[in-house]
Amino acid sequence: MGGCFSKPKPVELKIEVVLPEKERGKEELSASGKGSPRAYQGNGTARHFHTEERLPAPHPYAGTQDCVEAAVCHVKDLENGQMREVELGWGKVLLVKENGEFHALGHKCPHYGAPLVKGVLSRGRVRCPWHGACFNISTGDLEDFPGLDSLHKFQVKIEKEKVYVWASKQALQLQRRTKVMAKCISPSAGHSGSTNVLIVGAGAAGLVCAETLRQEGFSDRIVLCTLDRHLPYDRPKLSKSLDAQPEQLALRPKEFFRAYGIEVLTEAQVVTVDVRNKKVVFKDGFKLEYNKLLLAPGSSPKTLSCKGKEVENVFTIRTPEDANRVVRLARGRNAVVVGAGFLGMEVAAYLTEKAHSVSVVELEETPFRRFLGERVGRALMKMFENNRVKFYMQTEVSELRAQEGKLKEVVLKSSKVVRADVCVVGIGAVPATGFLRQSGISLDSRGFIPVNKMMQTNIPGVFAAGDAVTFPLAWRNNRKVNIPHWQMAHAQGRVAAQNMLAQEAEISTVPYLWTAMFGKSLRYAGYGEGFDDVIIQGDLEELKFVAFYTKGDEVIAVASMNYDPIVSKVAEVLASGRAIRKREDRRYVLAHRERILSLHAADLGRHAGAPGTEAKPWGQVPTSNFPGSPTREPESSQCLPWAAWLTSREALAASRCSPPKASAATKGWPWRQDRPCLFSCYWDWSPVGALQHIRHYLKIKTHTFADLCDFHCNWANTREGETGTATECSMPHQEVWPVSAQRR
């Protein structure tokens, strides 16, 4: 195709991952409970307590009749850094080997059921390939969000070189574990006018804060208040599944809140906060004193200000009732969505199978332009157009026309008139902090609540989290940002709770978000605001791509479709405190190539002794000789060398390397003489993973990306779930990822 979808000449992108000059001064508190836990008393003081003082957890295996044991593999079947799903008869288990030790965990992420074997193993934890949640492989505990539950941890033993796993049948079937929590020993009866902890807002931040307090042994009163009529629910699902019922969206059942003494006040609006007297006043006049306060009010959707804004059947998606009503009104009729951001596009995608017609009105030139860039936005826009969505770009709504009080037409400033029976407005949101303006709690010019790394406001004992805050983003040099992501709200809620207990925790999570449209998932990690360039790898037309967002020479965010788990891999690198940088100097790449080749000449000049093989040219492996690979040479779109895509003449001029010489042993091998190999092989669509190929053919140590190796990674052309590989060199504190890419 022509235009914006034409494939420009690929350029060489080289990315370096550089360790920070100095590590943090203090160790973060691990969610696994290591360190020095504290209990918080009703009088506001904290005391240290030993782990054994916590409420005792029930033994995971109540009786041997409820357990199953099986030999799952030989000790040499897994190398360090590898994961495998194994079957125990009653269910599967994720088997992990790291530092010579085996660990057995639940194999599915409790959040949405992603197979963790396709995730990223790094630094003693496994990261979910879909949404980025992290689990400690030693305990199964949830260490980074989203989600609320942890994994079951199963017993492993080694006998006669075999690995045995012993597990509870019930745990194998549940695939999730709620952490042990304290129960409230200070019931509200008799002193309902005061609480130790008050949480304003029952979204992800508020719920996680309450749960974390209980997990850390806090047993005093907790009150959670919300404007909603429902208990905390999965709000991001509202725009992805508009006909979902409240009970389907609930994050926890009613019994959970009763069991752990977390009081929830529904349809309760706070109108005043008196920080001097530590008191809040509700709209109905009810007053409640507090000792510690978390403000997590979220945001309020923006509405249209045009003529006719009061007509019926115009909605913002804020509650399950809003979403359900939109679906009912749109069925077989004409729907208009104003705004081509995440909410608007998700709603439009969902309504295509329900409505007679779906139209999208957007002020920008392309959807997601400020967030994902113009090229990615156009590719997604084409996907929507192929699914009968009509776009009206670079215009706004000037009037909403009604018939008998109900919406009938949407008039645009471009003078076009669009038929509409229902309209959904998704043009952004503002922080719901109006009730704080006279409180003494600082607000910035946009109404956000500034907090520090510990989620503390300017008032002692008052914390804030969620969509309404700005906070210092650690890996962006503590830049103050607002990130209204579901995952980020979870992390902020936990940090706030930990600091209510004087644990001195700091927010350090890497932002991670996702969306799903027409059965395709888009994943995103990092913070790309203000990016100045986008580097695309893959095929935008086929919606199989990775996009790197850069500012200067630093990669600040990554997005992908159908490229799992690349976003989780990048998130894990950023979470480790390393910077990702790009380089485009071809001579530098080739000079680096010679250095690496000289370091590993002995290993690269021969195979690992596979039967029937002889010494092969440096760093090259024939694609036709891979087990299970096609005999014909793959097309250029099916293989990607780790070197720059240069001609032999350019490569030889820059590197002074000699081309490989043919011999009897190499006769018939499909070498790509027009493209030099850089210490690597081609990746084809073989059913056998590239990691196994390289390990089979080269006597050098290879790693997964998550092991943060020191040389080259190739992310292209792997089937979903295959592990990317890299080859180790002796350059410390640096990782180089050459990517054959297309520029915006």
Side-chain angles (χ1 to χ4, degrees):
M1 295 182 65
C4 66
F5 289 100
S6 61
K7 298 181 179 178
K9 182 179 178 181
V11 300
E12 170 67 17
L13 169 67
K14 188 173 72 166
I15 300 173
E16 297 178 65
V17 180
V18 185
L19 283 171
E21 293 183 2
K22 53 186 177 180
E23 300 294 331
R24 296 179 191 168
K26 60 183 178 181
E27 202 174 65
E28 290 182 20
L29 181 68
S30 170
S32 63
K34 297 178 180 179
S36 180
R38 301 183 183 185
Y40 193 79
Q41 301 298 302
N43 60 9
T45 61
R47 67 176 180 90
H48 289 273
F49 69 99
H50 299 289
T51 305
E52 57 267 22
E53 290 182 56
R54 292 178 183 270
L55 290 176
H59 195 278
Y61 310 126
T64 55
Q65 70 278 4
D66 183 48
C67 298
V68 59
E69 185 179 46
V72 294
C73 71
H74 191 275
V75 291
K76 294 183 179 179
D77 287 346
L78 262 69
E79 297 187 24
N80 283 325
Q82 285 190 323
M83 301 185 291
R84 175 186 294 183
E85 279 186 355
V86 295
E87 179 63 57
L88 294 186
W90 288 80
K92 293 182 179 180
V93 164
L94 179 69
L95 189 65
V96 179
K97 186 177 182 181
E98 188 169 76
N99 298 325
E101 294 185 5
F102 286 89
H103 306 270
L105 311 161
H107 74 290
K108 287 186 177 180
C109 177
H111 182 226
Y112 276 13
L116 294 175
V117 71
K118 296 183 178 182
V120 180
L121 177 62
S122 174
R123 300 183 299 138
R125 65 185 192 176
V126 58
R127 184 182 284 267
C128 172
W130 291 357
H131 306 135
C134 296
F135 303 91
N136 187 300
I137 63 172
S138 296
T139 64
D141 285 350
L142 177 68
E143 289 196 343
D144 206 347
F145 299 93
L148 298 171
D149 291 318
S150 298
L151 299 174
H152 283 285
K153 179 72 166 64
F154 305 112
Q155 295 183 17
V156 178
K157 67 178 181 180
I158 309 296
E159 286 186 1
K160 297 180 180 180
E161 300 292 295
K162 291 185 177 180
V163 181
Y164 290 83
V165 176
W166 192 43
S168 160
K169 296 175 184 178
Q170 183 181 13
L172 287 171
Q173 294 172 350
L174 289 176
Q175 289 296 330
R176 65 178 62 233
R177 171 177 61 87
T178 300
K179 286 185 178 180
V180 176
M181 298 189 191
K183 295 187 178 182
C184 181
I185 60 174
S186 301
S188 60
H191 56 281
S192 59
S194 66
T195 182
N196 200 293
V197 173
L198 174 62
I199 301 172
V200 179
L207 178 58
V208 171
C209 178
E211 290 199 18
T212 302
L213 289 169
R214 291 288 187 245
Q215 290 165 4
E216 295 296 321
F218 180 78
S219 58
D220 216 320
R221 190 183 181 199
I222 300 173
V223 174
L224 190 67
C225 63
T226 174
L227 280 170
D228 273 300
R229 67 174 66 177
H230 307 291
L231 293 173
Y233 59 88
D234 192 344
R235 193 179 297 276
K237 277 189 178 179
L238 289 180
S239 53
K240 299 178 181 69
S241 182
L242 276 76
D243 54 1
Q245 299 303 303
E247 55 272 16
Q248 297 173 310
L249 300 171
L251 295 172
R252 296 292 195 194
K254 291 181 181 179
E255 295 73 23
F256 175 89
F257 296 96
R258 292 197 195 102
Y260 298 107
I262 301 172
E263 301 173 46
V264 183
L265 305 180
T266 58
E267 298 182 283
Q269 181 180 0
V270 175
V271 294
T272 304
V273 176
D274 181 354
V275 296
R276 176 171 297 182
N277 296 307
K278 292 190 173 183
K279 183 192 307 181
V280 300
V281 180
F282 291 84
K283 187 176 182 179
D284 61 3
F286 176 64
K287 298 178 181 179
L288 186 61
E289 296 179 356
Y290 64 84
N291 187 26
K292 300 289 182 181
L293 174 66
L294 174 68
L295 297 169
S299 56
S300 300
K302 294 180 180 178
T303 58
L304 295 175
S305 57
C306 62
K307 181 180 178 181
K309 61 181 180 180
E310 69 284 348
V311 304
E312 293 184 34
N313 300 344
V314 178
F315 299 89
T316 56
I317 304 295
R318 183 64 184 171
T319 67
E321 289 75 21
D322 293 336
N324 294 168
R325 193 172 177 198
V326 166
V327 173
R328 288 197 301 269
L329 291 171
R331 202 175 298 275
R333 295 184 168 186
N334 304 300
V336 172
V337 177
V338 182
F342 283 97
L343 184 145
M345 295 291 272
E346 288 171 355
V347 170
Y350 189 82
L351 292 180
T352 53
E353 293 184 355
K354 314 290 182 183
H356 173 71
S357 70
V358 178
S359 303
V360 175
V361 179
E362 169 59 39
L363 186 59
E364 295 284 349
E365 185 177 352
T366 58
F368 305 116
R369 188 182 70 84
R370 293 185 181 180
F371 195 82
L372 298 175
E374 185 173 343
R375 291 191 63 220
V376 174
R378 286 196 180 279
L380 297 176
M381 182 174 173
K382 181 182 177 183
M383 175 180 70
F384 275 74
E385 290 174 333
N386 291 339
N387 285 275
R388 302 186 306 107
V389 176
K390 172 73 174 178
F391 285 92
Y392 297 88
M393 307 304 288
Q394 295 182 285
T395 188
E396 296 178 89
V397 176
S398 63
E399 183 183 357
L400 298 173
R401 292 177 180 171
Q403 182 177 329
E404 298 179 355
K406 296 181 179 179
L407 180 68
K408 205 63 182 175
E409 293 177 334
V410 174
V411 183
L412 307 180
K413 287 188 176 180
S414 61
S415 299
K416 292 183 178 179
V417 179
V418 184
R419 293 184 62 185
D421 299 294
V422 60
C423 177
V424 176
V425 180
I427 55 175
V430 295
T433 56
F435 68 101
L436 298 174
R437 296 201 180 277
Q438 306 300 322
S439 67
I441 298 170
S442 293
L443 300 177
D444 67 15
S445 59
R446 299 178 297 165
F448 291 103
I449 309 169
V451 296
N452 61 17
K453 293 181 182 180
M454 302 169 78
M455 308 313 296
Q456 293 175 331
T457 68
N458 63 308
I459 304 297
V462 178
F463 300 81
D467 294 2
V469 307
T470 59
F471 68 100
L473 189 58
W475 63 275
R476 288 294 303 274
N477 298 317
N478 294 319
R479 175 182 175 182
K480 276 291 186 82
V481 298
N482 168 253
I483 301 179
H485 298 175
W486 185 245
Q487 167 258 6
M488 185 59 70
H490 284 71
Q492 292 172 346
R494 181 172 68 181
V495 171
Q498 290 171 329
N499 289 308
M500 287 181 181
L501 306 180
Q503 293 181 359
E504 299 184 356
E506 294 184 355
I507 187 73
S508 61
T509 192
V510 174
Y512 201 117
L513 67 85
W514 62 93
T515 186
M517 300 165 290
F518 303 112
K520 298 183 182 295
S521 294
L522 174 74
R523 318 207 191 283
Y524 181 99
Y527 182 72
E529 183 173 306
F531 67 86
D532 52 31
D533 199 5
V534 186
I535 309 297
I536 308 289
Q537 177 183 345
D539 194 335
L540 278 176
E541 295 182 39
E542 297 297 325
L543 296 176
K544 180 181 175 64
F545 66 88
V546 182
F548 298 95
Y549 299 87
T550 65
K551 190 171 183 63
D553 70 339
E554 183 177 355
V555 175
I556 58 176
V558 61
S560 79
M561 289 189 81
N562 299 314
Y563 246 89
D564 292 339
I566 183 62
V567 171
S568 287
K569 291 179 177 180
V570 173
E572 194 61 24
V573 173
L574 296 176
S576 71
R578 308 183 185 202
I580 305 178
R581 304 187 186 281
K582 67 174 184 176
R583 296 284 296 273
E584 294 183 69
D585 186 342
R586 290 180 175 181
R587 291 182 179 271
Y588 180 91
V589 173
L590 290 166
H592 186 71
R593 165 185 183 261
E594 287 202 334
R595 178 184 176 191
I596 303 307
L597 289 173
S598 66
L599 288 170
H600 293 278
D603 284 330
L604 288 170
R606 62 182 181 272
H607 277 273
T613 61
E614 293 83 19
K616 306 300 185 277
W618 277 22
Q620 300 193 44
V621 179
T623 57
S624 63
N625 219 28
F626 284 160
S629 65
T631 54
R632 66 179 180 83
E633 183 182 8
E635 298 296 328
S636 60
S637 62
Q638 292 180 298
C639 61
L640 185 66
W642 290 336
W645 286 46
L646 308 177
T647 65
S648 295
R649 182 176 301 173
E650 290 175 313
L652 294 176
S655 67
R656 303 187 305 280
C657 289
S658 299
K661 295 182 179 180
S663 66
T666 62
K667 185 177 181 180
W669 288 6
W671 302 123
R672 300 297 293 263
Q673 299 291 349
D674 60 322
R675 295 173 185 169
C677 269
L678 177 59
F679 192 42
S680 177
C681 61
Y682 297 104
W683 282 15
D684 63 357
W685 294 112
S686 164
V688 182
L691 183 62
Q692 286 73 23
H693 293 332
I694 294 182
R695 282 184 173 144
H696 180 66
Y697 284 102
L698 299 179
K699 280 188 174 179
I700 53 179
K701 185 178 181 182
T702 57
H703 298 271
T704 62
F705 175 102
D707 289 329
L708 299 173
C709 57
D710 292 324
F711 190 53
H712 298 288
C713 286
N714 185 329
W715 302 323
N717 304 331
T718 53
R719 288 191 185 278
E720 183 177 356
E722 283 192 346
T723 307
T725 67
T727 308
E728 185 181 56
C729 77
S730 59
M731 297 188 305
H733 314 306
Q734 172 166 277
E735 189 169 39
V736 183
W737 312 329
V739 179
S740 189
Q742 299 172 356
R743 276 198 180 282
R744 178 180 59 175

